[in-house]
Amino acid sequence: MTRYIYLDWNVIQYMKHERVVSDKFDAIKFRAFVDEFKGKYKFPASEGHLCDLASTFKSGNEEYIKEDLDFLGDISNGIMLGIQDADEKLILIKGDIKEQFKEVALDNDPEPVFSVTGESHEVNMQALPSGSLLRPLLEKNSGIIDSKLMEDFLGSIWENIDNPEFYKKFRVEIANLSDTFSKTDTILSQESSYFKRIEAFMKIGEISDLNILADKFCDIFVSFLAIDDKKLENLKLGEKIQSAYAILDFSPLFRDKINKKNKPSNMYRDIKNLIFASGAKYYVTEDDATYKKSKFILKALNVKTRVVKMDELRFALMAL
C-alpha cells in the first residue's frame, strides 16, 4: 500500500488555525512541510477524523463544520482510509468526505453489541462489597456470574460511560479487586482456574513503573481477555488495539482524568484514530496522553508505526 502519514485531529486543527507554541510546535511550518511531502506520502482522512468533528456538531456551527471539512479535504486531497471487511486491512480510497461526514454525524452515538462467552462461577455474596456495581445483577442471577450477566454488565457500563461518578466508581472497583481477592474470604475461589487466569489483570493497579508494566503487559493482556474467555491469537489488530486501550485505562501510569469535558467515550474516538494510524509510517499527535499511550500500545503489539510530534517529524524528514 502507498505510504501514508496519519495526522491526529488536534494536528489538523492546529494547522487550520495556524497555531505556533514556542519551543513546542509551529503549525504554519508543519502545514508547509505537509504540502512539500505530498509527493512522497499521502495524508488521508478517516472515519476517526469525522467522528472527532461530529462530536463538536451543534445547531449554529454548520459554517465551522464546513470549513473543517474543506480543510480536511485539502490536506487529504480527497483520499480516505477504508477497512476491508474480510481481513480488516487498511486501504486508501478516493472518497466524498462531506457525504461520509453526514453518515458519521447521523450515527455519532454508536451502540456496541456485546457478545460474551465463557464459564459460570458462583460468587460469595457475603464477601462482595455492598456497593459493588455487580451486586444488583448478581442478586437477580442467584449469585452466579456467567456470560449473560457479563453482557448485561458491559451494557450497563456503556449506558453510563459518560457519567463521571459512575465511571470513577467502576475504576475504583477494578482497582480494588486485587486487594479484595487477596483476602481468604474472597468473592471467588482463589483455587479456581478462572481466578488464576484473570489474576494478572487485577494487579495492574499495583504497577507504578513503566518498564515493569511493559515487561508484564503480555501476561496482563492475556489475563484481561480471559475475563470473557477470549484468546489473544484469535484477535485481529483492531481488536487488540481496542483491548489494549481499555487495559491501560486501569493503569495509574496511563489513566486519564474523568470529568464532564474529558468523557470516557472520548476513548472510542481515540481507539478509532489509533487503528487508522496503525498502517501508517508515522502517527502525528500533539496530545501528550495520546502520544504516550499510542507509543506504548504500538510497541507492545509490535506495530512499526512511529508516534511523533509535529516538529519531531518535520525536523527528522527535512534533514534527510
Side-chain angles (χ1 to χ4, degrees):
M1 188 174 73
T2 305
R3 293 192 302 177
Y4 70 93
I5 295 173
Y6 192 82
L7 307 177
D8 201 4
W9 186 245
N10 55 71
V11 171
I12 293 170
Q13 286 295 293
Y14 288 151
M15 285 195 295
K16 178 192 172 189
H17 296 287
E18 300 185 338
R19 285 282 305 278
V20 178
V21 179
S22 180
D23 298 323
K24 193 170 183 181
F25 64 79
D26 187 325
I28 298 174
K29 291 181 179 179
F30 189 78
R31 170 64 196 275
F33 159 82
V34 168
D35 288 338
E36 181 177 346
F37 274 76
K38 280 185 177 180
K40 295 182 178 180
Y41 294 95
K42 300 297 183 185
F43 295 85
S46 78
E47 183 185 350
H49 294 140
L50 300 182
C51 286
D52 279 326
L53 181 56
S55 70
T56 68
F57 181 77
K58 59 184 178 181
S59 179
N61 73 341
E62 290 86 357
E63 185 60 33
Y64 297 111
I65 296 292
K66 181 181 180 301
E67 289 178 7
D68 282 346
L69 289 171
D70 287 340
F71 188 80
L72 181 59
D74 183 41
I75 292 295
S76 66
N77 287 336
I79 300 297
M80 295 195 69
L81 280 162
I83 301 178
Q84 291 185 163
D85 289 336
D87 56 6
E88 292 192 353
K89 181 180 178 181
L90 293 167
I91 55 175
L92 293 171
I93 56 175
K94 196 74 176 177
D96 188 329
I97 293 176
K98 291 181 179 178
E99 285 301 314
Q100 289 297 316
F101 175 75
K102 290 178 183 177
E103 292 185 19
V104 169
L106 289 173
D107 189 33
N108 196 38
D109 189 17
E111 288 291 337
V113 177
F114 298 108
S115 179
V116 179
T117 60
E119 309 163 359
S120 298
H121 303 276
E122 186 175 359
V123 171
N124 182 347
M125 296 296 288
Q126 292 182 336
L128 185 71
S130 60
S132 170
L133 296 173
L134 272 171
R135 178 171 280 280
L137 295 173
L138 283 166
E139 288 176 344
K140 292 180 181 178
N141 208 40
S142 303
I144 302 297
I145 187 168
D146 54 21
S147 57
K148 178 61 170 63
L149 183 142
M150 288 305 298
E151 286 179 6
D152 291 343
F153 183 53
L154 291 172
S156 174
I157 293 170
W158 182 260
E159 289 173 6
N160 294 279
I161 198 168
D162 279 336
N163 179 333
E165 295 309 312
F166 176 92
Y167 197 74
K168 287 176 185 177
K169 184 177 180 181
F170 173 61
R171 268 184 175 173
V172 169
E173 187 158 338
I174 295 296
N176 288 341
L177 280 178
S178 179
D179 179 60
T180 299
F181 282 121
S182 68
K183 300 173 183 177
T184 303
D185 187 21
T186 187
I187 64 175
L188 281 176
S189 169
Q190 296 181 49
E191 299 306 315
S192 70
S193 60
Y194 184 71
F195 173 83
K196 294 184 184 299
R197 290 200 302 271
I198 68 175
E199 187 176 12
F201 168 65
M202 292 187 298
K203 293 184 176 181
I204 191 172
E206 301 173 5
I207 302 174
S208 57
D209 183 283
L210 189 61
N211 292 325
I212 294 176
L213 179 62
D215 289 340
K216 294 185 175 182
F217 194 70
C218 183
D219 290 339
I220 293 170
F221 204 129
V222 171
S223 174
F224 175 77
L225 295 177
I227 292 174
D228 58 352
D229 205 33
K230 292 180 181 177
K231 304 292 184 183
L232 182 59
E233 59 269 22
N234 294 336
L235 299 187
K236 295 178 181 177
L237 180 58
E239 295 171 313
K240 291 178 181 177
I241 290 173
Q242 184 174 353
S243 295
Y245 233 97
I247 291 168
L248 291 186
D249 199 48
F250 297 100
S251 166
L253 295 169
F254 287 99
R255 68 168 63 110
D256 296 324
K257 290 183 178 179
I258 300 300
N259 50 49
K260 290 183 179 180
K261 182 178 180 181
N262 189 30
K263 300 177 180 179
S265 61
N266 292 353
M267 190 193 312
Y268 170 79
R269 299 195 300 275
D270 293 339
I271 291 169
K272 269 191 174 296
N273 282 306
L274 187 54
I275 290 172
F276 283 113
S278 66
K281 180 73 173 178
Y282 301 97
Y283 177 27
V284 191
T285 182
E286 285 296 327
D287 181 87
D288 290 335
T290 298
Y291 180 84
K292 179 182 175 184
K293 192 176 292 186
S294 298
K295 283 176 78 77
F296 184 92
I297 290 173
L298 294 179
K299 183 178 180 180
L301 298 179
N302 293 314
V303 177
K304 294 181 179 180
T305 303
R306 287 184 57 191
V307 185
V308 293
K309 301 289 186 74
M310 280 193 280
D311 280 0
E312 183 182 354
L313 179 63
R314 183 168 61 87
F315 292 147
L317 293 191
M318 293 294 285
L320 296 178

